[in-house]
Amino acid sequence: LARFMAAHWATGAVHIVPVFGEHGALLEHAVFDLFYNRPLTIRRRMKERAALRANMPARSWHAVPLTAAAVGVFALANWLCLRTWGTLPTLANLWAVVLLAPVALGAAVTLLAGGTPTVRRIVLAFVGGAMAGIAAAAIHVAVGHAMGTFPETGWLLAWKIASRGLWMAFLLSLLSSVAALVTEISRPDPPPQTA
């Protein structure tokens, strides 16, 4: 009922937009499709995938090497910037790595999870992204400390690692879990089961 009401209100709102001489009929149909039919299709696909995965063994160990690979990508980016320009990069300098590494991590975690339920796949991607963010921030600050960029010691250095780690953990966990969810939703239909 809630899905139908959302579709009804959305189509009522776009009814005033004229499309091809009609009073928004084509746009109304597209919005109804988006808010009502698309969620039903996604739910049906997810049930079919869950039925196919019921016979597969659940896997979660693969998240550890994938997270390590994401941390390695950040470490490699730091090393390349150090070698090329002689300074550590900021997040703005690494925007492509910051976007692509967690997206690839989330997609790979969900694609390789075997029979793991969908919610657990997204949680695995979230935790992997958070761990990758904390480790990448710790490596960044440790290298900066060794170079003299971050001269703090003791509690101040731990605070710098924690503050950067929290931001990186938030950003990477958000991106990797969204990527896992989008990968789950956008996967093609599973092959039909034969009796």
Side-chain angles (χ1 to χ4, degrees):
L1 180 63
R3 192 169 36 249
F4 177 76
M5 291 309 295
H8 177 72
W9 290 327
T11 54
V14 300
H15 189 67
I16 60 172
V17 179
V19 178
F20 301 116
E22 295 275 336
H23 290 287
L26 292 176
L27 184 60
E28 185 177 338
H29 177 69
V31 168
F32 186 82
D33 240 8
L34 178 69
F35 281 96
Y36 188 73
N37 292 334
R38 181 76 177 140
L40 289 175
T41 303
I42 290 170
R43 185 176 71 178
R44 179 185 49 81
R45 284 182 181 171
M46 292 181 91
K47 282 183 180 179
E48 289 173 358
R49 278 195 207 107
L52 286 174
R53 290 178 184 153
N55 299 329
M56 299 172 70
R59 239 185 322 221
S60 59
W61 62 267
H62 68 286
V64 174
L66 289 172
T67 301
V71 172
V73 167
F74 278 99
L76 179 65
N78 282 332
W79 179 77
L80 286 174
C81 286
L82 269 176
R83 203 172 151 150
T84 306
W85 295 291
T87 62
L88 281 173
T90 62
L91 284 180
N93 300 127
L94 294 177
W95 65 268
V97 175
V98 170
L99 289 176
L100 295 178
V103 166
L105 171 66
V109 164
T110 193
L111 289 174
L112 299 174
T116 306
T118 303
V119 173
R120 189 153 179 229
R121 290 168 182 258
I122 295 167
V123 169
L124 274 173
F126 180 86
V127 171
M131 293 297 109
I134 291 169
I139 290 171
H140 181 80
V141 172
V143 171
H145 180 69
M147 286 182 49
T149 306
F150 304 128
E152 296 90 351
T153 58
W155 286 105
L156 290 176
L157 185 64
W159 172 251
K160 186 168 282 291
I161 290 173
S163 64
R164 286 182 184 256
L166 284 175
W167 277 111
M168 288 289 288
F170 170 73
L171 184 62
L172 269 62
S173 63
L174 179 68
L175 289 173
S176 62
S177 57
V178 167
L181 182 63
V182 168
T183 302
E184 279 296 312
I185 290 173
S186 63
R187 289 174 78 178
D189 282 335
Q193 294 181 352
T194 56

